[in-house]
Amino acid sequence: MNDNNEKKTVMFFPNREEYKKPLGAVKVGEPTRFNLLFSRPSNPAEVFLVLTKDGEQDVYYPMTYVTTNVNETMEYTVTVSPTTSGLYFYHFAVNTEDRQYRIGSDEDLNALLGKGCDWQLTVFEEKYADPDWLNGGLMYQIFVDRFNIGGERKKTKNDAVYRDDWGGCPEYRANRDGKILNNDFFGGNIKGITKKLAYLKSLGVTCIYMNPIFEAHSNHKYDTGNYRKIDPDFGTEDDLKELIKKADKKGMKVMLDGVFSHTGDDSIYFNKYGRYDSVGAYMSEQSAYKDWYTFESFPDKYRSWWNIDILPEVNENCPAYDEYINGEDGIIRYWTRTGIGGWRFDVADELPDRFLDRAVHAAKSVNKDALMLGEVWEDASNKVSYGARRRYLQGRQLDSVTNYPFKSDILAFCMCGDAVRLNNTVNVILNNYPERVVNNLMNLLDTHDTARLLTVLGDSGETDTREKRANAKVKNLAEAIALMKIAVTLQYTLPGVPCVYYGDEAGLEGFEDPFNRRCYPWDNKNKEILRFYKKIGAMRTNEKNILACGKYRKLAAQDGLYAFSRDNGVETLYVVANNSGSAVKFLPSGKEKDEYTDLLTLKPFDGNVPDKCAVIFKRTQDVVFPVKKPRIKK
C-alpha cells in the first residue's frame, strides 16, 4: 500500500452530506452516518470508526463495506447514535493483514492517511426551542452615549464631564491615583435611538444591541451601579419600553448587555465611596452584599476583574447573588418582561456553568424566544476556561456566541489575501457548532473593544503614541474603503448574522478605547460608505431565504481569491472576493453568462472580477457590488 498514492484518494469531509449526515453538531440520540472512501489496500480485514468522548476511552465501531466506486475507491459506512451530550472526537482505522492505517483530519477537515488530527463531533440536547427570529437578520451595536441625543439632555452626575462638542475626541484621563475615569459624556440616550429607528430600518437592521444601559458612573456602563435602574443620563424604564414598542413595529428587537461577572466599586452593592444609601460590601462585614465578593483583607484588598479595582469581581456561585440575578424576582426575569428580544452575556467565559444554566432558564421562562448570546472570543464548542471544558453550546445554555474567529480571518484575507485560512475557519465552525448556533452567530468586524474596521484596513501613518492614535486619520482612504467593502460583503454573506458597530457605515475611524467610541457623525457621514451599507443591507433583506440557513460550499480559496456559495435547496447565491493583486475570471460551472440579468442597474455579471473587489450574484439575478480598483492620489 503506497502512502503517497493513498493519501490522494482517501476521501472524507464532514461538511458534505455524502460523507457525514447530519452536518455539524448532532442531537443526543440522533442517528449519524459516516461514509469513508479510500483506495483499495491489500486484503482489508477491518475498517473502524474510532469515537472517543472527551476524557473517556476510545470506542471502535465496525464499518460495513458498501461498494467499490468507479475511481477504484472502497466505500464503508457506519451509523452511530450518541446517547449523551458532550464533545466527541473521531478518526478512522483500516486494518489489513500486516498493518493498521490511521485516517485523520488536516487543517481544512479533509482526510489524511497515516496522520492528522481527530475530527470533532459536538452532541447537544434540544432543551429549548430555536429562537429563529434573528435568522437572516442584521444586528446593530450601539454605544449609547455616542449615538444620538433625543429630547432634553440629562446631566445627573456631579463628578462627570458633560461635553457639548458632539464629535470631539473622547478623553483618556486618569485621576491622581492612576485610575482611568471614563467620565466624559456627550449626551447620547435611549430616546436618541428611538428617533433614529427609521434610519436603522433603512440599513436593514432587525436587532438593536445596546452596550450596558443600567445605572453606572462611567460612560461605558460596564461598572454597574444598580441593575434595577436605567442610568438616568440615558433615560427611564418607560423610555426603554417605548423603544422596544416602536422598534417592534418596525420589525426590530432590542438586546440588552448583561454584565454579571463584576459590578462597579461605586455601586449600591459595594458602595466604596458612600454614594448610595445602602450598606455596601465595602462598608461592613455585616452587609447583605458581603458574600457577593471575595475579600482577601477586608475592606481594601478584594478580588477584582482583571485586577482593575474599580470592578470588584462577584462570586456567581453565591446563592444570594445567583438569586438576585436569576431568581423569580431577579434581574433577568425583570428586564425580559419589558419585551426585549434577548441578552448578550459579557465575558461569558467568567460565568460558571450553573449560573449560565439558571440565567438562560430565567429568560426563557418569561419568553421562550429570548435569544441568549455569549461573548466568547474563541471556538465556543471546545473552549476551556479556568481549567474546565465549557458546555455553552450543548443545549442548556447559549443560543449562540460572538463570532471572533470569522472576524480575525476576514481581516487577514483583506490585508494579506489569506483565503485558505478563512475557508478553514469557516469549515471548522460549521463542523463544530449546532446549526441553530451557526444561524444566530454574531458576525462582527469591530466592537467597542477593538479598533475600528476602517482604521485596521487603512494606513494611519505613525501611531506609536496615544496622542498620535487619538488624532490619526486613514491616509489611503480609497483603498481602505475598497477593502472594507470586501470585508463587509463577507460578513453579510457567510453563515451567521452580521453585526454593524454603530458609525462604521458612516466612515468612523478610531484606534483602541476610547478612540473607537467617537460620536456618530450625523452631519459628516461618508456618503459612499453609507450607500454601500444600505445597498448590501437591502440585498440581505431580499435574500433572507438563502442567507438565513443556506448551506455553505467553498468554490475557491487560494492566492487571494475566495469564492463560495449559499444554497437553500431552491436558490443559490454566489460570492466572489478577489484580493489577489490582479483581475480574475469566475463563473460557476455549467452556467452561461447570458443567464444572468441585472436588477440593480449594474452591468450583467460576465465573470470578470477586478482586484480589491467583491461580487454577489445568483443564477437569475446580479445582486451587488463590483468595487472598482481605487485610484490612489499621488
Side-chain angles (χ1 to χ4, degrees):
M1 186 173 183
N2 184 299
D3 282 1
N4 291 329
N5 291 333
E6 295 294 348
K7 180 177 178 180
K8 296 178 182 178
T9 55
V10 172
M11 287 179 283
F12 177 80
F13 183 62
N15 290 352
R16 295 274 294 275
E17 288 188 335
E18 55 261 49
Y19 299 105
K20 175 179 171 286
K21 188 174 181 179
L23 302 176
V26 301
K27 292 179 287 189
V28 170
E30 183 173 20
T32 305
R33 189 192 71 230
F34 299 85
N35 283 356
L36 172 68
L37 280 73
F38 58 92
S39 291
R40 181 192 298 273
S42 57
N43 302 317
E46 299 170 305
V47 181
F48 295 98
L49 167 72
V50 185
L51 185 65
T52 310
K53 188 172 183 182
D54 193 22
E56 299 184 5
Q57 298 296 312
D58 296 348
V59 179
Y60 283 69
Y61 292 90
M63 302 185 75
T64 303
Y65 170 73
V66 179
T67 185
T68 299
N69 295 288
V70 292
N71 58 359
E72 296 188 353
T73 57
M74 305 183 70
E75 181 177 356
Y76 280 74
T77 188
V78 67
T79 298
V80 298
S81 302
T83 57
T84 57
S85 62
L87 282 190
Y88 294 74
F89 302 93
Y90 64 94
H91 62 272
F92 301 96
V94 179
N95 290 342
T96 67
E97 290 180 349
D98 57 355
R99 63 180 293 190
Q100 181 179 85
Y101 298 92
R102 186 185 191 279
I103 299 173
S105 168
D106 69 8
E107 291 182 352
D108 192 26
L109 303 185
N110 287 301
L112 287 175
L113 187 69
K115 56 183 179 179
C117 304
D118 280 8
W119 288 274
Q120 179 178 308
L121 178 67
T122 306
V123 180
F124 64 95
E125 300 176 73
E126 201 163 45
K127 172 72 173 177
Y128 299 109
D130 182 7
D132 60 1
W133 58 264
L134 187 59
N135 293 178
L138 173 63
M139 303 181 75
Y140 190 88
Q141 179 189 353
I142 295 177
F143 193 86
V144 179
D145 181 61
R146 310 291 160 80
F147 183 63
N148 188 47
I149 302 172
E152 181 183 356
R153 181 178 174 185
K154 304 296 183 183
K155 299 180 180 181
T156 66
K157 298 172 177 56
N158 295 330
D159 53 355
V161 177
Y162 287 103
R163 299 179 57 173
D164 296 315
D165 58 332
W166 185 266
C169 183
E171 293 183 352
Y172 188 85
R173 295 194 307 117
N175 65 15
R176 64 184 60 184
D177 296 323
K179 295 178 181 177
I180 304 302
L181 297 177
N182 288 306
N183 69 339
D184 59 329
F185 294 83
F186 287 88
N189 52 25
I190 293 173
K191 284 186 175 181
I193 300 172
T194 304
K195 286 182 64 175
K196 294 297 183 179
L197 287 177
Y199 167 75
L200 297 178
K201 184 70 174 178
S202 75
L203 297 175
V205 173
T206 60
C207 178
I208 301 167
Y209 154 49
M210 296 185 292
N211 286 112
I213 61 172
F214 302 132
E215 182 176 86
H217 294 279
S218 71
N219 49 42
H220 55 69
K221 308 302 177 196
Y222 284 93
D223 55 332
T224 309
N226 189 343
Y227 289 109
R228 290 197 178 275
K229 186 179 179 182
I230 291 174
D231 192 276
D233 284 353
F234 286 176
T236 65
E237 185 172 333
D238 285 339
D239 293 336
L240 174 63
K241 290 178 178 177
E242 180 186 28
L243 171 62
I244 292 168
K245 181 179 179 181
K246 291 185 175 181
D248 190 61
K249 288 182 178 179
K250 291 185 177 294
M252 291 180 268
K253 302 280 188 184
V254 174
M255 176 177 287
L256 297 185
D257 205 337
V259 185
F260 302 124
S261 67
H262 53 272
T263 68
D265 64 347
D266 198 355
S267 66
I268 194 172
Y269 317 107
F270 204 75
N271 208 9
K272 185 173 183 177
Y273 311 106
R275 189 190 303 268
Y276 289 90
D277 185 19
S278 69
V279 180
Y282 183 86
M283 303 173 72
S284 171
E285 293 190 85
Q286 280 68 53
S287 168
Y289 306 112
K290 169 67 165 50
D291 291 342
W292 287 22
Y293 304 94
T294 301
F295 289 89
E296 297 172 6
S297 177
F298 185 85
D300 290 314
K301 194 172 183 181
Y302 48 87
R303 188 175 298 169
S304 56
W305 187 76
W306 286 62
N307 295 318
I308 303 171
D309 68 355
I310 63 171
L311 301 176
E313 190 174 288
V314 299
N315 175 13
E316 299 91 347
N317 291 316
C318 170
Y321 179 73
D322 191 320
E323 184 66 16
Y324 184 85
I325 301 298
N326 300 320
E328 290 295 329
D329 298 316
I331 297 303
I332 296 288
R333 284 178 170 87
Y334 182 87
W335 293 107
T336 303
R337 291 188 184 103
T338 63
I340 62 170
W343 292 86
R344 174 224 183 238
F345 290 114
D346 186 56
V347 290
D349 297 0
E350 302 183 21
L351 301 176
D353 279 329
R354 183 179 180 279
F355 183 89
L356 276 176
D357 290 344
R358 282 176 51 80
V360 170
H361 173 74
K364 291 184 180 292
S365 66
V366 175
N367 175 12
K368 65 180 180 60
D369 293 321
L371 182 70
M372 311 303 281
L373 190 145
E375 181 195 16
V376 181
W377 287 58
E378 302 85 7
D379 183 333
S381 68
N382 52 37
K383 169 80 177 185
V384 175
S385 64
Y386 296 92
R389 179 84 76 181
R390 303 310 301 267
R391 50 180 176 83
Y392 303 124
L393 310 183
Q394 294 176 24
R396 293 180 177 271
Q397 288 186 9
L398 302 176
D399 293 308
S400 200
V401 290
T402 52
N403 195 5
Y404 280 93
F406 279 18
K407 169 189 179 293
S408 299
D409 292 343
I410 288 174
L411 296 180
F413 174 77
C414 290
M415 290 186 285
C416 59
D418 195 342
V420 173
R421 172 178 162 185
L422 175 54
N423 175 65
N424 289 354
T425 296
V426 173
N427 277 328
V428 168
I429 294 298
L430 293 182
N431 178 67
N432 291 357
Y433 287 16
E435 183 178 23
R436 58 184 281 168
V437 173
V438 170
N439 293 340
N440 287 307
L441 280 172
M442 181 191 280
N443 287 351
L444 42 84
L445 294 175
D446 54 356
T447 72
H448 63 289
D449 287 323
T450 70
R452 287 271 179 182
L453 176 61
L454 203 55
T455 297
V456 171
L457 297 177
D459 176 9
S460 299
E462 292 186 11
T463 56
D464 55 338
T465 66
R466 288 194 65 84
E467 289 72 26
K468 290 178 181 178
R469 293 196 294 278
N471 299 298
K473 296 292 293 182
V474 171
K475 300 180 184 302
N476 59 333
L477 186 60
E479 184 175 9
I481 290 173
L483 293 175
M484 182 186 201
K485 291 179 180 180
I486 294 176
V488 173
T489 298
L490 296 174
Q491 177 193 27
Y492 273 58
T493 54
L494 283 168
V497 179
C499 182
V500 177
Y501 185 38
Y502 81 99
D504 277 355
E505 79 280 13
L508 273 185
E509 302 175 27
F511 282 92
E512 75 280 5
D513 165 26
F515 313 125
N516 56 0
R517 303 174 182 180
R518 285 179 164 86
C519 300
Y520 188 103
W522 293 108
D523 297 325
N524 190 32
K525 299 186 287 291
N526 183 302
K527 294 180 181 179
E528 178 189 355
I529 297 176
L530 184 57
R531 281 195 300 269
F532 172 78
Y533 268 90
K534 288 187 175 183
K535 184 180 289 186
I536 198 168
M539 179 282 301
R540 187 164 175 88
T541 299
N542 294 337
E543 305 303 335
K544 180 177 180 179
N545 289 338
I546 300 177
L547 295 174
C549 57
K551 295 288 190 296
Y552 165 90
R553 184 164 185 171
K554 179 201 77 174
L555 302 175
Q558 59 187 34
D559 302 325
L561 176 66
Y562 181 44
F564 60 90
S565 63
R566 300 289 305 279
D567 188 331
N568 65 359
V570 178
E571 298 176 296
T572 303
L573 199 70
Y574 298 92
V575 181
V576 185
N578 181 20
N579 192 21
S580 66
S582 60
V584 298
K585 185 85 171 179
F586 185 90
L587 281 172
S589 60
K591 303 290 194 301
E592 299 297 332
K593 65 181 182 181
D594 61 1
E595 291 181 309
Y596 299 94
T597 59
D598 174 27
L599 299 184
L600 287 178
T601 67
L602 299 173
K603 292 181 180 179
F605 178 64
D606 61 1
N608 291 302
V609 187
D611 182 36
K612 288 187 173 58
C613 174
V615 178
I616 307 173
F617 60 96
K618 292 198 303 184
R619 183 173 184 269
T620 57
Q621 177 184 349
D622 285 352
V623 191
V624 227
F625 305 110
V627 181
K628 292 182 179 179
K629 189 170 184 178
R631 290 177 290 182
I632 310 300
K633 293 182 180 180
K634 296 184 178 179

